[in-house]
């Protein structure tokens, strides 16, 4: 249990640092950290510019904080929509069975077999980096809900056979009450873990599109920060802080999200084992 708690604590602690960096630090920075020519170009780190400035005349530190902010917003929005839709449809399919189950399962399986990354690249290529953040969120959420829906359906099918569920059905309780009171509490822990995992997957997908110039290039995210650094030859020019900080930040965020999700799952598994 100590090992599980340690993983969970490390993941949550690191995430807290990045959330502060992404949501608190920008409040003390320039109103628009993406503005070109706001400062002298290619300045080294100093007390005024902690990570120096970019070749576009931007403060690297506040640009990084702003990018983390937008990446988290995209990840949270996508995961919230996908998890809510997946859990709702999965519960309905697993509990109702019959025609409704077959229709939802057909829709779920159809989306699962579609290769999402090529479709995302194709859609984004038509917009050529001008896609809005809302469009990116909607498209990523569209391809993110089927897997949680299938997993929740499997759990709902198993839970439906429990004696307490049969008693609730025979007593005349409505489907909504049974799902909310009797079934959802059993999958609430999984839902939280899936939500965290969804944030990780959404940030990874958006960053992948952004690095190849297929996301919203006018919006600062970790991916677009790397994209613009590549466009202006940051590596060849030795401007490592410009291109290196978003890469390191992305890796650490991924690791912290994974530790949080994995640690929480193991903690819940230990807890269920003790209560069994």
């Amino acid at each position: 249990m100590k090992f599980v708690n340690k993983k969970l604590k490390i993941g949550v602690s690191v995430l807290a640092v990045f959330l502060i960096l992404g949501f608190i630090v920008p409040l003390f920075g320039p109103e628009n950290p993406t503005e070109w020519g706001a400062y002298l170009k290619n300045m080294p780190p100093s007390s005024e510019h902690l990570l120096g400035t970019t070749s576009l005349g931007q403060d690297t530190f506040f640009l990084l904080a702003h990018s983390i902010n937008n990446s988290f917003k995209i990840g949270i929005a996508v995961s919230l929509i996908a998890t809510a839709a997946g859990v709702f449809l999965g519960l309905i399919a697993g509990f109702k069975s019959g025609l409704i189950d077959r229709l939802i399962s057909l829709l779920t399986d159809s989306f699962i077999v579609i290769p999402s990354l090529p479709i995302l690249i194709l859609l984004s290529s038509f917009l050529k980096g001008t896609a809005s953040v809302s469009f990116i969120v909607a498209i990523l959420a569209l391809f993110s809900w089927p897997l949680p829906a299938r997993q929740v359906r499997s759990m709902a099918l198993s839970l439906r056979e429990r004696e307490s569920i049969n008693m609730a059905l025979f007593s005349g309780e409505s489907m909504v009450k049974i799902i909310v009171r009797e079934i959802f509490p059993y999958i609430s822990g999984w839902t939280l873990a899936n939500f965290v995992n969804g944030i990780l997957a959404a940030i990874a997908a958006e960053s992948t599109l952004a690095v190849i110039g297929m996301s919203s290039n006018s919006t600062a995210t970790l991916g677009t920060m790397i994209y613009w650094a590549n466009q202006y030859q940051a590596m060849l020019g030795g401007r490592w802080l410009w291109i290196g900080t978003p890469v390191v930040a992305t890796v650490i965020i991924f690791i912290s999200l994974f530790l949080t999700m994995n640690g929480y799952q193991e903690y819940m598994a230990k807890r269920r084992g003790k209560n069994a």
Side-chain angles (χ1 to χ4, degrees):
M1 183 66 72
K2 288 184 178 180
F3 176 68
V4 172
N5 286 338
K6 186 176 180 181
K7 279 205 295 187
L8 190 56
K9 285 178 181 178
I10 291 173
V12 171
S13 299
V14 175
L15 275 179
V17 171
F18 275 94
L19 288 172
I20 291 172
L21 180 60
F23 290 88
I24 304 299
V25 170
L27 299 177
F28 301 95
E31 185 176 343
N32 182 16
T34 63
E35 182 182 356
W36 293 13
Y39 307 99
L40 293 175
K41 299 177 181 180
N42 301 324
M43 294 288 289
S46 64
S47 58
E48 187 177 354
H49 305 290
L50 296 180
L51 297 176
T53 61
T54 70
S55 296
L56 301 174
Q58 304 157 319
D59 185 290
T60 307
F61 177 72
F62 285 109
L63 179 62
L64 176 66
H66 196 64
S67 299
I68 291 171
N69 177 294
N70 286 329
S71 288
F72 266 114
K73 284 180 178 178
I74 291 172
I76 291 170
V78 170
S79 185
L80 186 62
I81 295 170
T83 301
V87 169
F88 174 76
L89 291 174
L91 285 173
I92 296 297
F95 184 79
K96 289 293 288 183
S97 67
L99 179 61
I100 293 178
D101 181 23
R102 289 195 293 273
L103 289 174
I104 294 177
S105 296
L106 177 62
L107 184 63
T108 302
D109 293 340
S110 299
F111 271 92
I112 287 177
V113 299
I114 295 174
S116 58
L117 186 58
I119 300 296
L120 290 171
I121 293 175
L122 180 63
L123 289 173
S124 300
S125 66
F126 288 125
L127 299 172
K128 297 180 179 178
T130 61
S132 66
V133 172
S134 300
F135 176 81
I136 297 295
V137 168
I139 293 299
L140 290 176
L142 183 65
F143 288 100
S144 300
W145 68 267
L147 195 57
R150 173 184 273 188
Q151 293 173 332
V152 169
R153 174 185 174 274
S154 299
M155 289 186 282
L157 285 172
S158 175
L159 291 168
R160 189 183 62 183
E161 303 303 322
R162 295 199 172 194
E163 194 172 317
S164 59
I165 305 299
N166 290 325
M167 289 290 293
L169 284 171
F170 290 138
S171 65
E173 282 198 33
S174 67
M175 179 188 72
V176 175
K177 285 186 178 180
I178 294 175
I179 289 176
V180 172
R181 294 179 180 178
E182 305 293 338
I183 297 180
F184 184 73
Y186 287 98
I187 66 168
S188 58
W190 176 91
T191 301
L192 180 58
N194 183 79
F195 175 70
V196 175
N197 184 57
I199 296 174
L200 190 158
I203 293 176
E206 192 281 329
S207 296
T208 301
L209 292 173
V211 167
I212 60 177
M214 297 296 180
S215 185
S216 177
N217 292 340
S218 60
T219 303
T221 65
L222 291 169
T224 56
M225 190 173 175
I226 298 170
Y227 169 78
W228 284 113
N230 275 328
Q231 288 294 104
Y232 283 82
Q233 306 295 322
M235 291 184 67
L236 292 177
R239 293 181 287 278
W240 302 108
L241 290 175
W242 185 10
I243 192 169
T245 49
V247 172
V248 172
T250 302
V251 171
I252 295 176
I253 288 172
F254 285 178
I255 293 173
S256 61
L257 285 169
F258 174 78
L259 286 175
T260 301
M261 176 191 66
N262 192 258
Y264 180 76
Q265 285 179 326
E266 291 186 15
Y267 170 74
M268 292 302 294
K270 292 270 189 179
R271 189 175 176 182
R272 284 194 298 270
K274 281 191 171 184
N275 293 336

